Amino acid sequence: MMWLRKSLVRIGKDRRVINLEFDKSIIKNFQYSDTPDFGSVQVPIVLKSLHSEGKPKGNITIGPNGDYKISSFNSTLHYGQSIFEGLKAYKMENGKFKIFRLKDAARRFRRSAQIMGMSALDEDFFIDCVKSYVESCSELELTSKEHSLYLRPLLYANDSIIKVRASSEYQFVIMGSIVGSYFSGGKVGAKVYCNRQFVRAFPHGTGEAKTAANYAISLPALKHATSLGFEQVLYLDALKKENVEELGGMNFFMIKNGTLVTPKLSGTILHGITRDTILELAKHLDIPTEVRDINYKEIIEPSENQSIFACGTAATIVPIIELGFQESLEGQLKRIEYPVDPLAIKLREHLVDCHYNKSPLSDKWLS
Ligand SMILES: Cc1ncc(COP(=O)(O)O)c(C=O)c1O
C-alpha cells in the first residue's frame, strides 16, 4: 500500500511541503546484516528535491530507494560538480533518533557548494529536510547499540550538456545507511601510510570542500597503501611536502606529553566536525591543546610520550598503531609503531557520550 503524507520544510521564511510517498512497512520490516560493512546497507527510502538557483523546483519527496534514470549527458558525470555531507543520527534510550551537529553539516554543505560553484541550499531547508528524512526512518530497528544511522546528503549537477559550465539545475538527495564499525572486524587501531610524493589538495583548490574530486584523487594512493598492508593514507601539504594535513577521509591528531596537537585549518583541509568536537571536549576536560603545523619528521621520529590518531564521523577516534613512511615510491619503507594511547580511548568514550546525550555538551549538538 502506497500512502501519502505531508511534512513541512522551511526555505528562508517560506514553507514547502515534502510528500511522503512510501509504505511505512518498508521501514518497519527492514532487515540488515548484524555486522554491516560500512556504507553497504541501503535504507530503503530517499529524499529527492530538484533545485534551480538554490530553490526547490517541483515536488520534494521521500520515497522508495529505487534506481532512477540519469542522462549520459549529465554534467556531474563529466565535470564532477558534486558535493556531499556525512553525519549520523543516534538512537537514544527512549528509542528516538537524535542527529549530531546538524547545523554544522548544513553550514559545511553550503560552503562546499560555494567552493564548487554550485548554487548553495538554504541552511534551514537542509536542516528541515534531514530532520524529515530521519523522522521517516524513526521506526527502523537497529540490531545493536553500536549501530547508527549514517546520513548522506548529496547535491549534484543535473544539466544534460557536455559543455564545461556551472549547472543551472541541481539534484538534492538524502540517503541513509545503517552502520557499525568503520574498519572491518571493529579493531582498535589503524595502519596508515604516508608518502611525500602523494598530494591530496593544494592552496586555493577544493581541499576544504566535501566534493567527489577530493576522494577520486585519493584513490590511487589508497590502492598503493592497501597493497603495502595499510588502510589509510596520510597527506602532507602539497607545496613543501613538510607539514601533516589529514587522511583521505579523516582528520589527524597527535598526543605529545599529554597535549593534543592537530594541524591548523590551512585552507586545504576539511573542517572536520569531529576534529572541532574533540577540541571542545579537550577544553571541557582540561586537556591542553595546540593547533599548529606538525612537520612530518615529528611523527616519523616520535619521542617517547607520543601517539597519533585519526578522527571523523564515520570512524569516531581511531588510534594509529603503525605509520608507514616513504620519501618517494622508490624510497625505503619505514614502519613506525605507535601505542594505543589511553587518552585517545578516553576521548573516544567522551565523544560517544556526546552522541548519546550523556555529556553536558550533548545538548548544544543534538537535534
Ligand atoms: C577528507 C576528510 N577529512 C576529514 C573528515 C572528518 O570530518 P567529520 O569529522 O566532519 O566527519 C572527513 C569525513 O568524511 C573527510 O572526508
Side-chain angles (χ1 to χ4, degrees):
M1 178 196 60
M2 189 76 131
W3 53 284
L4 185 68
R5 286 176 299 149
K6 307 236 181 249
S7 166
L8 285 174
V9 277
R10 278 171 295 165
I11 310 153
K13 290 193 184 93
D14 300 340
R15 306 221 33 110
R16 288 284 300 255
V17 157
I18 301 183
N19 291 333
L20 306 175
E21 299 175 352
F22 59 95
D23 184 333
K24 248 183 157 181
S25 65
I26 64 173
I27 289 293
K28 228 176 169 167
N29 301 333
F30 183 66
Q31 289 188 346
Y32 64 97
S33 145
D34 282 347
T35 49
D37 196 14
F38 194 94
S40 66
V41 176
Q42 300 183 7
V43 170
I45 53 171
V46 288
L47 179 144
K48 277 193 222 151
S49 169
L50 200 58
H51 285 245
S52 170
E53 290 169 12
K55 297 242 158 26
K57 183 180 164 184
N59 288 343
I60 311 166
T61 59
I62 299 181
N65 175 26
D67 295 334
Y68 55 98
K69 279 189 189 158
I70 190 158
S71 161
S72 41
F73 277 69
N74 174 284
S75 56
T76 310
L77 299 178
H78 301 266
Y79 310 119
Q81 255 195 324
S82 156
I83 58 154
F84 62 92
E85 261 310 315
L87 67 165
K88 280 181 178 168
Y90 298 91
K91 260 217 169 157
M92 303 294 123
E93 268 165 10
N94 64 5
K96 294 220 160 92
F97 277 118
K98 280 202 182 271
I99 309 162
F100 192 64
R101 300 200 65 168
L102 174 57
K103 274 190 193 158
D104 303 274
R107 200 173 312 128
R108 191 169 66 183
F109 197 65
R110 192 173 170 79
R111 171 101 181 96
S112 294
Q114 285 162 345
I115 293 173
M116 299 308 293
M118 303 162 78
S119 35
L121 259 59
D122 184 282
E123 286 175 34
D124 282 339
F125 175 79
F126 177 97
I127 288 169
D128 284 354
C129 284
V130 174
K131 281 186 177 168
S132 297
Y133 181 79
V134 172
E135 175 63 32
S136 298
C137 292
S138 59
E139 292 191 66
L140 273 179
E141 198 75 57
L142 304 191
T143 56
S144 158
K145 279 188 175 158
E146 311 287 309
H147 295 171
S148 55
L149 175 61
Y150 182 81
L151 301 159
R152 171 55 64 88
L154 169 76
L155 186 73
Y156 64 85
N158 203 51
D159 283 2
S160 282
I161 184 165
I162 43 173
K163 182 176 183 186
V164 182
R165 65 166 204 207
S167 188
S168 60
E169 213 178 77
Y170 295 91
Q171 180 76 57
F172 177 52
V173 187
I174 302 176
M175 59 206 91
S177 180
I178 298 172
V179 298
S181 167
Y182 186 72
F183 292 103
S184 48
K187 50 200 196 63
V188 243
K191 295 182 177 185
V192 171
Y193 174 74
C194 177
N195 187 312
R196 280 188 89 195
Q197 274 187 337
F198 291 170
V199 169
R200 173 188 172 271
F202 43 86
H204 308 293
T206 57
E208 275 188 5
K210 231 171 143 52
T211 186
N214 291 337
Y215 300 89
I217 201 174
S218 76
L219 297 180
L222 184 60
K223 213 168 152 186
H224 179 71
T226 310
S227 74
L228 296 173
F230 297 94
E231 289 138 327
Q232 291 282 312
V233 176
L234 175 67
Y235 293 91
L236 305 180
D237 72 281
L239 294 184
K240 294 194 196 145
K241 308 196 168 168
E242 286 281 330
N243 291 326
V244 174
E245 295 227 305
E246 63 173 328
L247 286 80
M250 285 181 252
N251 289 111
F252 180 84
F253 275 87
M254 170 171 77
I255 303 175
K256 194 162 183 163
N257 301 320
T259 296
L260 263 184
V261 190
T262 194
K264 293 189 287 212
L265 297 173
S266 58
T268 49
I269 299 177
L270 190 81
H271 292 204
I273 292 168
T274 317
R275 173 190 178 278
D276 185 73
T277 306
I278 291 169
L279 287 173
E280 280 223 31
L281 262 177
K283 225 189 283 172
H284 174 72
L285 298 169
D286 280 330
I287 299 166
T289 57
E290 282 176 19
V291 176
R292 61 155 167 94
D293 289 341
I294 302 174
N295 190 288
Y296 73 94
K297 289 186 186 132
E298 203 173 342
I299 56 165
I300 64 167
E301 290 156 14
S303 57
E304 219 171 85
N305 284 318
Q306 191 174 320
S307 64
I308 52 179
F309 67 84
C311 68
T313 299
T316 67
I317 288 177
V318 189
I320 298 173
I321 51 171
E322 185 179 320
L323 178 68
F325 177 80
Q326 269 182 308
E327 275 287 337
S328 66
L329 285 172
E330 295 75 37
Q332 203 198 340
L333 175 63
K334 189 173 163 147
R335 289 178 186 265
I336 306 111
E337 286 192 4
Y338 269 101
V340 173
D341 196 317
L343 182 54
I345 303 301
K346 175 177 156 178
L347 278 167
R348 187 168 63 195
E349 284 163 7
H350 280 274
L351 178 63
V352 173
D353 281 351
C354 290
H355 296 156
Y356 286 95
N357 209 5
K358 290 181 176 161
S359 160
L361 299 175
S362 296
D363 236 14
K364 65 172 178 173
W365 287 330
L366 288 173
S367 47

